[in-house]
Short mmCIF file of all heavy atoms in Angstrom, two decimals:
data_model
loop_
_atom_site.label_atom_id
_atom_site.label_comp_id
_atom_site.label_asym_id
_atom_site.label_seq_id
_atom_site.Cartn_x
_atom_site.Cartn_y
_atom_site.Cartn_z
N MET A 280 96.21 53.65 171.40
CA MET A 280 97.22 53.05 172.28
C MET A 280 96.52 52.35 173.45
O MET A 280 95.71 52.91 174.15
CB MET A 280 98.12 54.18 172.80
CG MET A 280 99.44 53.65 173.33
SD MET A 280 100.56 55.02 173.63
CE MET A 280 101.54 54.32 174.93
N THR A 281 96.83 51.10 173.59
CA THR A 281 96.19 50.34 174.66
C THR A 281 97.09 50.28 175.88
O THR A 281 98.30 50.14 175.75
CB THR A 281 95.86 48.91 174.20
OG1 THR A 281 97.06 48.30 173.73
CG2 THR A 281 94.83 48.92 173.10
N THR A 282 96.50 50.36 177.02
CA THR A 282 97.27 50.25 178.25
C THR A 282 96.84 48.99 178.98
O THR A 282 96.12 49.03 179.96
CB THR A 282 97.05 51.48 179.15
OG1 THR A 282 95.65 51.66 179.28
CG2 THR A 282 97.67 52.71 178.53
N LYS A 283 97.27 47.88 178.40
CA LYS A 283 96.93 46.60 178.98
C LYS A 283 97.85 46.31 180.17
O LYS A 283 99.06 46.37 180.04
CB LYS A 283 97.08 45.51 177.92
CG LYS A 283 96.55 44.17 178.36
CD LYS A 283 96.70 43.19 177.21
CE LYS A 283 96.32 41.80 177.67
NZ LYS A 283 96.60 40.83 176.62
N ARG A 284 97.27 46.00 181.25
CA ARG A 284 98.07 45.78 182.44
C ARG A 284 98.45 44.30 182.57
O ARG A 284 97.60 43.43 182.54
CB ARG A 284 97.28 46.22 183.67
CG ARG A 284 98.23 46.64 184.77
CD ARG A 284 97.49 47.11 185.98
NE ARG A 284 98.35 46.95 187.15
CZ ARG A 284 97.95 47.18 188.38
NH1 ARG A 284 96.71 47.55 188.59
NH2 ARG A 284 98.76 47.03 189.39
N ARG A 285 99.71 44.07 182.70
CA ARG A 285 100.18 42.69 182.82
C ARG A 285 100.34 42.33 184.30
O ARG A 285 100.74 43.18 185.09
CB ARG A 285 101.54 42.54 182.15
CG ARG A 285 101.46 42.60 180.64
CD ARG A 285 102.86 42.60 180.10
NE ARG A 285 102.90 42.07 178.75
CZ ARG A 285 104.02 41.85 178.09
NH1 ARG A 285 105.17 42.11 178.64
NH2 ARG A 285 104.00 41.35 176.88
N PRO A 286 100.10 41.07 184.60
CA PRO A 286 100.40 40.64 185.97
C PRO A 286 101.90 40.70 186.20
O PRO A 286 102.69 40.50 185.29
CB PRO A 286 99.87 39.21 186.02
CG PRO A 286 99.80 38.76 184.60
CD PRO A 286 99.56 40.00 183.79
N ALA A 287 102.30 40.99 187.41
CA ALA A 287 103.72 41.07 187.72
C ALA A 287 104.38 39.71 187.53
O ALA A 287 103.77 38.67 187.77
CB ALA A 287 103.92 41.53 189.16
N LEU A 288 105.63 39.76 187.10
CA LEU A 288 106.38 38.52 186.87
C LEU A 288 106.40 37.64 188.11
O LEU A 288 106.35 36.43 188.03
CB LEU A 288 107.83 38.87 186.49
CG LEU A 288 108.17 38.86 185.01
CD1 LEU A 288 109.67 39.06 184.86
CD2 LEU A 288 107.74 37.58 184.34
N ARG A 289 106.47 38.26 189.26
CA ARG A 289 106.60 37.46 190.50
C ARG A 289 105.33 36.71 190.84
O ARG A 289 105.35 35.84 191.72
CB ARG A 289 107.04 38.35 191.66
CG ARG A 289 106.02 39.40 192.03
CD ARG A 289 106.52 40.22 193.22
NE ARG A 289 105.57 41.26 193.58
CZ ARG A 289 105.51 42.44 192.98
NH1 ARG A 289 106.35 42.73 192.01
NH2 ARG A 289 104.61 43.33 193.35
N THR A 290 104.25 37.03 190.16
CA THR A 290 103.01 36.31 190.43
C THR A 290 102.84 35.12 189.50
O THR A 290 101.92 34.33 189.66
CB THR A 290 101.79 37.24 190.26
OG1 THR A 290 101.67 37.59 188.88
CG2 THR A 290 101.92 38.46 191.12
N LEU A 291 103.73 35.00 188.52
CA LEU A 291 103.61 33.91 187.54
C LEU A 291 104.29 32.64 188.04
O LEU A 291 105.19 32.68 188.87
CB LEU A 291 104.22 34.34 186.21
CG LEU A 291 103.56 35.55 185.55
CD1 LEU A 291 104.29 35.89 184.27
CD2 LEU A 291 102.10 35.29 185.28
N ILE A 292 103.84 31.53 187.49
CA ILE A 292 104.39 30.24 187.89
C ILE A 292 105.22 29.68 186.73
O ILE A 292 104.80 29.70 185.58
CB ILE A 292 103.23 29.27 188.23
CG1 ILE A 292 102.49 29.77 189.47
CG2 ILE A 292 103.77 27.85 188.46
CD1 ILE A 292 101.18 29.05 189.73
N CYS A 293 106.39 29.17 187.04
CA CYS A 293 107.25 28.58 186.02
C CYS A 293 106.56 27.35 185.43
O CYS A 293 106.12 26.47 186.17
CB CYS A 293 108.58 28.19 186.64
SG CYS A 293 109.63 27.27 185.49
N PRO A 294 106.44 27.27 184.10
CA PRO A 294 105.77 26.13 183.47
C PRO A 294 106.54 24.83 183.60
O PRO A 294 106.00 23.75 183.37
CB PRO A 294 105.64 26.55 182.00
CG PRO A 294 106.70 27.56 181.80
CD PRO A 294 106.90 28.26 183.12
N GLN A 295 107.79 24.90 183.95
CA GLN A 295 108.61 23.69 184.03
C GLN A 295 108.69 23.14 185.45
O GLN A 295 108.41 21.97 185.69
CB GLN A 295 110.02 23.98 183.50
CG GLN A 295 110.87 22.73 183.42
CD GLN A 295 112.10 22.96 182.58
OE1 GLN A 295 112.07 22.85 181.37
NE2 GLN A 295 113.20 23.30 183.23
N CYS A 296 109.06 23.97 186.40
CA CYS A 296 109.21 23.47 187.78
C CYS A 296 108.01 23.83 188.65
O CYS A 296 107.93 23.39 189.80
CB CYS A 296 110.50 23.97 188.40
SG CYS A 296 110.55 25.76 188.67
N LEU A 297 107.09 24.62 188.08
CA LEU A 297 105.83 24.95 188.76
C LEU A 297 106.03 25.70 190.08
O LEU A 297 105.17 25.66 190.95
CB LEU A 297 104.99 23.68 188.98
CG LEU A 297 104.67 22.88 187.71
CD1 LEU A 297 103.86 21.65 188.05
CD2 LEU A 297 103.94 23.75 186.70
N GLN A 298 107.12 26.39 190.19
CA GLN A 298 107.32 27.21 191.37
C GLN A 298 106.90 28.64 191.07
O GLN A 298 107.00 29.11 189.95
CB GLN A 298 108.80 27.18 191.79
CG GLN A 298 109.24 25.83 192.27
CD GLN A 298 110.56 25.91 193.02
OE1 GLN A 298 110.64 26.39 194.13
NE2 GLN A 298 111.62 25.45 192.37
N LYS A 299 106.49 29.31 192.11
CA LYS A 299 106.03 30.68 191.96
C LYS A 299 107.15 31.65 192.32
O LYS A 299 108.01 31.33 193.13
CB LYS A 299 104.82 30.90 192.87
CG LYS A 299 103.95 32.06 192.45
CD LYS A 299 102.71 32.11 193.32
CE LYS A 299 101.87 33.34 192.95
NZ LYS A 299 100.73 33.47 193.85
N ALA A 300 107.08 32.81 191.72
CA ALA A 300 108.02 33.89 192.03
C ALA A 300 109.47 33.51 191.73
O ALA A 300 110.38 33.90 192.45
CB ALA A 300 107.89 34.32 193.49
N VAL A 301 109.69 32.73 190.67
CA VAL A 301 111.05 32.36 190.29
C VAL A 301 111.43 32.90 188.91
O VAL A 301 112.56 32.77 188.49
CB VAL A 301 111.24 30.83 190.30
CG1 VAL A 301 111.17 30.28 191.73
CG2 VAL A 301 110.23 30.14 189.41
N LEU A 302 110.46 33.52 188.24
CA LEU A 302 110.74 34.00 186.89
C LEU A 302 111.35 35.39 186.93
O LEU A 302 110.94 36.25 187.70
CB LEU A 302 109.44 34.02 186.07
CG LEU A 302 108.83 32.64 185.85
CD1 LEU A 302 107.52 32.77 185.09
CD2 LEU A 302 109.77 31.73 185.11
N GLN A 303 112.35 35.57 186.08
CA GLN A 303 113.04 36.85 186.02
C GLN A 303 113.12 37.30 184.58
O GLN A 303 113.24 36.50 183.66
CB GLN A 303 114.48 36.70 186.54
CG GLN A 303 114.56 36.24 187.97
CD GLN A 303 115.99 35.99 188.38
OE1 GLN A 303 116.68 35.19 187.76
NE2 GLN A 303 116.45 36.68 189.40
N ARG A 304 113.09 38.59 184.40
CA ARG A 304 113.28 39.14 183.07
C ARG A 304 114.74 39.00 182.67
O ARG A 304 115.64 39.25 183.46
CB ARG A 304 112.87 40.61 183.05
CG ARG A 304 113.02 41.28 181.71
CD ARG A 304 112.37 42.64 181.72
NE ARG A 304 110.92 42.52 181.80
CZ ARG A 304 110.15 42.27 180.74
NH1 ARG A 304 110.68 42.13 179.54
NH2 ARG A 304 108.84 42.18 180.87
N ILE A 305 114.98 38.58 181.44
CA ILE A 305 116.35 38.46 180.94
C ILE A 305 116.75 39.79 180.31
O ILE A 305 116.04 40.32 179.48
CB ILE A 305 116.45 37.35 179.87
CG1 ILE A 305 116.02 36.01 180.45
CG2 ILE A 305 117.88 37.26 179.35
CD1 ILE A 305 115.91 34.91 179.42
N LEU A 306 117.88 40.29 180.74
CA LEU A 306 118.41 41.50 180.14
C LEU A 306 119.56 41.14 179.21
O LEU A 306 120.45 40.39 179.58
CB LEU A 306 118.90 42.47 181.21
CG LEU A 306 117.83 43.08 182.11
CD1 LEU A 306 118.46 44.14 182.99
CD2 LEU A 306 116.70 43.68 181.29
N TYR A 307 119.50 41.68 178.01
CA TYR A 307 120.57 41.41 177.04
C TYR A 307 121.53 42.58 177.00
O TYR A 307 121.14 43.73 177.20
CB TYR A 307 119.96 41.15 175.66
CG TYR A 307 119.27 39.81 175.62
CD1 TYR A 307 117.92 39.70 175.96
CD2 TYR A 307 119.97 38.65 175.30
CE1 TYR A 307 117.28 38.47 175.95
CE2 TYR A 307 119.34 37.42 175.28
CZ TYR A 307 118.00 37.34 175.61
OH TYR A 307 117.38 36.12 175.60
N GLY A 308 122.76 42.27 176.73
CA GLY A 308 123.76 43.31 176.67
C GLY A 308 124.64 43.28 177.91
O GLY A 308 124.58 42.36 178.73
N MET A 309 125.47 44.26 178.03
CA MET A 309 126.43 44.31 179.13
C MET A 309 125.80 44.93 180.37
O MET A 309 125.33 46.05 180.33
CB MET A 309 127.63 45.15 178.69
CG MET A 309 128.80 45.03 179.63
SD MET A 309 129.70 43.49 179.40
CE MET A 309 130.83 44.00 178.11
N PRO A 310 125.76 44.18 181.45
CA PRO A 310 125.21 44.77 182.67
C PRO A 310 126.07 45.89 183.21
O PRO A 310 127.30 45.80 183.18
CB PRO A 310 125.16 43.60 183.65
CG PRO A 310 125.81 42.45 183.00
CD PRO A 310 126.21 42.82 181.61
N GLY A 311 125.44 46.93 183.70
CA GLY A 311 126.18 48.05 184.27
C GLY A 311 126.58 47.79 185.71
O GLY A 311 126.26 46.74 186.27
N SER A 312 127.24 48.74 186.31
CA SER A 312 127.71 48.56 187.68
C SER A 312 126.56 48.54 188.67
O SER A 312 126.69 48.00 189.77
CB SER A 312 128.68 49.68 188.05
OG SER A 312 128.05 50.93 187.86
N ASP A 313 125.43 49.10 188.27
CA ASP A 313 124.28 49.11 189.17
C ASP A 313 123.29 47.99 188.83
O ASP A 313 122.15 48.02 189.26
CB ASP A 313 123.57 50.47 189.10
CG ASP A 313 123.11 50.79 187.68
OD1 ASP A 313 123.56 50.10 186.75
OD2 ASP A 313 122.31 51.71 187.51
N PHE A 314 123.77 47.02 188.06
CA PHE A 314 122.89 45.93 187.64
C PHE A 314 122.48 45.09 188.84
O PHE A 314 123.31 44.69 189.67
CB PHE A 314 123.63 45.06 186.62
CG PHE A 314 122.76 43.98 186.04
CD1 PHE A 314 121.87 44.26 185.00
CD2 PHE A 314 122.82 42.68 186.52
CE1 PHE A 314 121.08 43.27 184.47
CE2 PHE A 314 122.02 41.69 185.98
CZ PHE A 314 121.15 41.98 184.95
N ASP A 315 121.18 44.81 188.92
CA ASP A 315 120.68 44.04 190.06
C ASP A 315 120.60 42.57 189.68
O ASP A 315 119.65 42.12 189.05
CB ASP A 315 119.30 44.58 190.44
CG ASP A 315 118.80 43.93 191.72
OD1 ASP A 315 119.42 42.95 192.18
OD2 ASP A 315 117.78 44.40 192.24
N PHE A 316 121.60 41.80 190.06
CA PHE A 316 121.66 40.39 189.67
C PHE A 316 120.61 39.54 190.39
O PHE A 316 120.33 38.43 189.99
CB PHE A 316 123.06 39.83 189.94
CG PHE A 316 124.06 40.28 188.94
CD1 PHE A 316 124.86 41.37 189.19
CD2 PHE A 316 124.19 39.61 187.72
CE1 PHE A 316 125.80 41.81 188.26
CE2 PHE A 316 125.11 40.04 186.78
CZ PHE A 316 125.92 41.14 187.05
N LYS A 317 120.07 40.07 191.46
CA LYS A 317 119.02 39.33 192.15
C LYS A 317 117.69 39.47 191.43
O LYS A 317 116.80 38.65 191.57
CB LYS A 317 118.88 39.84 193.58
CG LYS A 317 120.05 39.44 194.44
CD LYS A 317 119.90 40.02 195.84
CE LYS A 317 121.15 39.75 196.66
NZ LYS A 317 121.42 40.83 197.59
N LYS A 318 117.58 40.54 190.67
CA LYS A 318 116.29 40.85 190.05
C LYS A 318 116.22 40.37 188.61
O LYS A 318 115.17 40.02 188.11
CB LYS A 318 116.07 42.36 190.10
CG LYS A 318 114.64 42.77 189.90
CD LYS A 318 114.50 44.25 190.23
CE LYS A 318 113.07 44.69 189.95
NZ LYS A 318 112.93 46.14 190.14
N TYR A 319 117.37 40.36 187.92
CA TYR A 319 117.35 40.03 186.51
C TYR A 319 118.32 38.91 186.17
O TYR A 319 119.34 38.75 186.83
CB TYR A 319 117.72 41.26 185.67
CG TYR A 319 116.77 42.41 185.83
CD1 TYR A 319 117.13 43.52 186.59
CD2 TYR A 319 115.52 42.39 185.21
CE1 TYR A 319 116.26 44.58 186.75
CE2 TYR A 319 114.66 43.45 185.37
CZ TYR A 319 115.02 44.54 186.13
OH TYR A 319 114.16 45.58 186.27
N ALA A 320 117.98 38.20 185.11
CA ALA A 320 118.92 37.23 184.56
C ALA A 320 119.66 37.90 183.41
O ALA A 320 119.14 38.78 182.74
CB ALA A 320 118.18 36.00 184.05
N VAL A 321 120.89 37.47 183.17
CA VAL A 321 121.67 38.07 182.09
C VAL A 321 121.64 37.17 180.87
O VAL A 321 121.94 35.98 180.96
CB VAL A 321 123.13 38.30 182.52
CG1 VAL A 321 123.90 39.00 181.40
CG2 VAL A 321 123.18 39.13 183.79
N GLY A 322 121.26 37.71 179.74
CA GLY A 322 121.11 36.91 178.54
C GLY A 322 122.32 36.93 177.64
O GLY A 322 122.39 36.18 176.68
N GLY A 323 123.28 37.75 177.92
CA GLY A 323 124.44 37.86 177.07
C GLY A 323 124.25 38.92 176.01
O GLY A 323 123.27 39.65 176.01
N CYS A 324 125.19 38.98 175.10
CA CYS A 324 125.19 40.06 174.12
C CYS A 324 124.55 39.67 172.79
O CYS A 324 124.31 40.51 171.94
CB CYS A 324 126.62 40.53 173.86
SG CYS A 324 127.34 41.30 175.33
N LEU A 325 124.29 38.38 172.59
CA LEU A 325 123.70 37.96 171.34
C LEU A 325 122.23 38.37 171.28
O LEU A 325 121.46 38.10 172.18
CB LEU A 325 123.77 36.44 171.20
CG LEU A 325 125.04 35.91 170.56
CD1 LEU A 325 124.99 34.39 170.52
CD2 LEU A 325 125.19 36.44 169.15
N VAL A 326 121.86 39.01 170.20
CA VAL A 326 120.48 39.39 170.02
C VAL A 326 119.92 38.65 168.82
O VAL A 326 120.37 38.83 167.70
CB VAL A 326 120.34 40.91 169.82
CG1 VAL A 326 118.87 41.26 169.60
CG2 VAL A 326 120.88 41.64 171.03
N GLU A 327 118.98 37.75 169.08
CA GLU A 327 118.40 36.95 168.02
C GLU A 327 116.89 37.17 167.99
O GLU A 327 116.31 37.52 168.99
CB GLU A 327 118.66 35.46 168.29
CG GLU A 327 120.12 35.13 168.44
CD GLU A 327 120.30 33.77 169.09
OE1 GLU A 327 119.31 33.03 169.21
OE2 GLU A 327 121.42 33.47 169.48
N PRO A 328 116.27 36.91 166.83
CA PRO A 328 114.83 36.98 166.80
C PRO A 328 114.21 35.89 167.65
O PRO A 328 114.74 34.78 167.72
CB PRO A 328 114.49 36.79 165.31
CG PRO A 328 115.69 36.15 164.71
CD PRO A 328 116.86 36.59 165.54
N MET A 329 113.13 36.20 168.31
CA MET A 329 112.41 35.25 169.15
C MET A 329 113.25 34.71 170.30
O MET A 329 113.07 33.61 170.76
CB MET A 329 111.87 34.08 168.31
CG MET A 329 110.80 34.49 167.33
SD MET A 329 109.40 35.34 168.11
CE MET A 329 108.68 33.97 169.03
N GLN A 330 114.18 35.50 170.75
CA GLN A 330 114.95 35.07 171.90
C GLN A 330 114.07 35.12 173.15
O GLN A 330 113.17 35.95 173.25
CB GLN A 330 116.17 35.95 172.08
CG GLN A 330 115.81 37.42 172.31
CD GLN A 330 117.03 38.30 172.20
OE1 GLN A 330 118.13 37.82 172.09
NE2 GLN A 330 116.82 39.59 172.23
N PRO A 331 114.31 34.22 174.08
CA PRO A 331 113.51 34.24 175.30
C PRO A 331 113.75 35.53 176.07
O PRO A 331 114.85 36.08 176.02
CB PRO A 331 114.02 33.03 176.07
CG PRO A 331 115.36 32.73 175.52
CD PRO A 331 115.33 33.18 174.09
N ASP A 332 112.73 36.02 176.74
CA ASP A 332 112.92 37.25 177.52
C ASP A 332 112.65 37.06 179.01
O ASP A 332 112.79 37.99 179.78
CB ASP A 332 112.07 38.38 176.95
CG ASP A 332 110.59 38.04 176.90
OD1 ASP A 332 110.19 36.96 177.35
OD2 ASP A 332 109.81 38.89 176.41
N ILE A 333 112.27 35.84 179.37
CA ILE A 333 112.16 35.56 180.81
C ILE A 333 112.84 34.23 181.11
O ILE A 333 112.94 33.36 180.25
CB ILE A 333 110.70 35.52 181.30
CG1 ILE A 333 109.87 34.55 180.48
CG2 ILE A 333 110.09 36.91 181.30
CD1 ILE A 333 108.46 34.34 181.02
N ALA A 334 113.32 34.08 182.32
CA ALA A 334 114.02 32.86 182.72
C ALA A 334 113.64 32.49 184.14
O ALA A 334 113.29 33.34 184.95
CB ALA A 334 115.53 33.08 182.63
N CYS A 335 113.72 31.19 184.42
CA CYS A 335 113.47 30.71 185.77
C CYS A 335 114.80 30.55 186.49
O CYS A 335 115.71 29.92 185.97
CB CYS A 335 112.74 29.37 185.72
SG CYS A 335 112.57 28.59 187.33
N ARG A 336 114.90 31.13 187.66
CA ARG A 336 116.17 31.05 188.37
C ARG A 336 116.33 29.72 189.09
O ARG A 336 117.41 29.41 189.58
CB ARG A 336 116.33 32.22 189.33
CG ARG A 336 115.32 32.23 190.46
CD ARG A 336 115.75 33.25 191.51
NE ARG A 336 114.80 33.26 192.62
CZ ARG A 336 114.00 34.29 192.92
NH1 ARG A 336 114.05 35.38 192.19
NH2 ARG A 336 113.17 34.23 193.92
N GLU A 337 115.28 28.95 189.17
CA GLU A 337 115.36 27.67 189.86
C GLU A 337 115.76 26.52 188.93
O GLU A 337 116.61 25.72 189.25
CB GLU A 337 114.02 27.35 190.52
CG GLU A 337 113.68 28.26 191.68
CD GLU A 337 114.68 28.13 192.82
OE1 GLU A 337 115.12 27.00 193.09
OE2 GLU A 337 115.02 29.15 193.43
N CYS A 338 115.08 26.42 187.79
CA CYS A 338 115.31 25.26 186.92
C CYS A 338 115.98 25.63 185.60
O CYS A 338 116.35 24.76 184.83
CB CYS A 338 114.00 24.54 186.65
SG CYS A 338 112.85 25.47 185.61
N GLY A 339 116.13 26.92 185.32
CA GLY A 339 116.82 27.32 184.11
C GLY A 339 115.93 27.42 182.88
O GLY A 339 116.40 27.68 181.79
N TRP A 340 114.63 27.24 183.06
CA TRP A 340 113.70 27.37 181.95
C TRP A 340 113.75 28.78 181.40
O TRP A 340 113.87 29.74 182.14
CB TRP A 340 112.29 27.02 182.43
CG TRP A 340 111.23 27.24 181.40
CD1 TRP A 340 110.81 26.35 180.47
CD2 TRP A 340 110.44 28.42 181.20
NE1 TRP A 340 109.81 26.92 179.69
CE2 TRP A 340 109.58 28.18 180.12
CE3 TRP A 340 110.41 29.68 181.83
CZ2 TRP A 340 108.67 29.14 179.65
CZ3 TRP A 340 109.52 30.63 181.36
CH2 TRP A 340 108.65 30.35 180.28
N ARG A 341 113.64 28.88 180.06
CA ARG A 341 113.58 30.19 179.44
C ARG A 341 112.43 30.24 178.47
O ARG A 341 112.14 29.25 177.80
CB ARG A 341 114.89 30.52 178.71
CG ARG A 341 116.01 30.75 179.68
CD ARG A 341 117.24 31.30 179.01
NE ARG A 341 118.20 31.69 180.05
CZ ARG A 341 119.21 32.52 179.83
NH1 ARG A 341 119.42 33.01 178.65
NH2 ARG A 341 120.02 32.84 180.81
N GLY A 342 111.78 31.33 178.38
CA GLY A 342 110.64 31.44 177.48
C GLY A 342 110.26 32.88 177.23
O GLY A 342 111.04 33.80 177.49
N HIS A 343 109.06 33.04 176.71
CA HIS A 343 108.61 34.37 176.31
C HIS A 343 107.53 34.90 177.24
O HIS A 343 106.57 34.21 177.54
CB HIS A 343 108.09 34.33 174.87
CG HIS A 343 109.17 34.03 173.88
ND1 HIS A 343 109.40 32.77 173.40
CD2 HIS A 343 110.11 34.83 173.33
CE1 HIS A 343 110.43 32.80 172.57
NE2 HIS A 343 110.88 34.03 172.51
N ARG A 344 107.72 36.10 177.65
CA ARG A 344 106.78 36.77 178.54
C ARG A 344 105.37 36.79 177.93
O ARG A 344 104.38 36.61 178.63
CB ARG A 344 107.28 38.20 178.78
CG ARG A 344 106.42 39.02 179.69
CD ARG A 344 106.51 38.50 181.11
NE ARG A 344 105.75 39.33 182.02
CZ ARG A 344 104.43 39.23 182.17
NH1 ARG A 344 103.77 38.35 181.48
NH2 ARG A 344 103.79 40.00 183.02
N ASP A 345 105.32 36.98 176.63
CA ASP A 345 104.02 37.10 175.97
C ASP A 345 103.22 35.80 176.04
O ASP A 345 102.01 35.81 175.97
CB ASP A 345 104.20 37.49 174.50
CG ASP A 345 104.63 38.96 174.39
OD1 ASP A 345 104.47 39.69 175.38
OD2 ASP A 345 105.11 39.33 173.32
N SER A 346 103.91 34.68 176.14
CA SER A 346 103.21 33.40 176.19
C SER A 346 102.65 33.12 177.58
O SER A 346 101.95 32.14 177.78
CB SER A 346 104.16 32.27 175.78
OG SER A 346 105.18 32.13 176.74
N MET A 347 102.95 33.99 178.53
CA MET A 347 102.49 33.78 179.91
C MET A 347 101.21 34.55 180.20
O MET A 347 100.71 34.52 181.31
CB MET A 347 103.57 34.24 180.89
CG MET A 347 104.93 33.63 180.64
SD MET A 347 104.97 31.87 180.98
CE MET A 347 104.91 31.89 182.75
N GLU A 348 100.69 35.26 179.22
CA GLU A 348 99.57 36.17 179.45
C GLU A 348 98.35 35.50 180.05
O GLU A 348 97.63 36.08 180.84
CB GLU A 348 99.16 36.83 178.13
CG GLU A 348 100.16 37.84 177.63
CD GLU A 348 100.14 39.12 178.47
OE1 GLU A 348 99.15 39.33 179.18
OE2 GLU A 348 101.11 39.86 178.42
N ASP A 349 98.08 34.28 179.65
CA ASP A 349 96.83 33.65 180.04
C ASP A 349 96.88 32.99 181.41
O ASP A 349 95.88 32.46 181.87
CB ASP A 349 96.44 32.59 179.00
CG ASP A 349 96.15 33.23 177.66
OD1 ASP A 349 95.79 34.42 177.64
OD2 ASP A 349 96.26 32.56 176.64
N LEU A 350 98.02 33.02 182.05
CA LEU A 350 98.11 32.37 183.36
C LEU A 350 97.47 33.23 184.44
O LEU A 350 97.48 34.43 184.37
CB LEU A 350 99.57 32.09 183.71
CG LEU A 350 100.22 31.03 182.82
CD1 LEU A 350 101.67 30.87 183.22
CD2 LEU A 350 99.51 29.70 182.96
ZN1 ZN B 616 111.42 26.76 186.81
#
């Protein structure tokens, strides 16, 4: 089991608008009453293969967290 440490989302730069600290993890499903809308984007209830798991709150870009590893 590897414990690879990922950089925090807030340190990543959006590939589209090039702003920092604008990427949010997308949560799928129904948000609960304690859901933090400032911290997460809501992806809805549809679950598809290869769905994006991060989103930019500034420009609306969506993509995959795994593709951001090299930044
Ligand atoms: Zn953006």
Side-chain angles (χ1 to χ4, degrees):
M280 199 169 152
T281 55
T282 51
K283 189 177 173 186
R284 208 179 156 185
R285 288 173 154 186
L288 262 187
R289 65 179 179 277
T290 67
L291 299 178
I292 295 169
C293 173
Q295 186 165 275
C296 67
L297 303 179
Q298 293 196 73
K299 201 175 177 185
V301 292
L302 296 178
Q303 300 175 302
R304 180 170 291 279
I305 301 172
L306 292 188
Y307 288 90
M309 192 77 88
S312 57
D313 58 347
F314 185 81
D315 187 350
F316 285 96
K317 288 178 187 147
K318 198 170 177 185
Y319 299 104
V321 183
C324 294
L325 272 179
V326 178
E327 303 164 12
M329 294 304 291
Q330 61 192 352
D332 57 3
I333 54 173
C335 173
R336 65 168 181 246
E337 291 297 321
C338 69
W340 175 88
R341 291 190 171 199
H343 294 96
R344 180 69 177 81
D345 288 343
S346 66
M347 307 292 288
E348 289 288 342
D349 295 335
L350 292 178

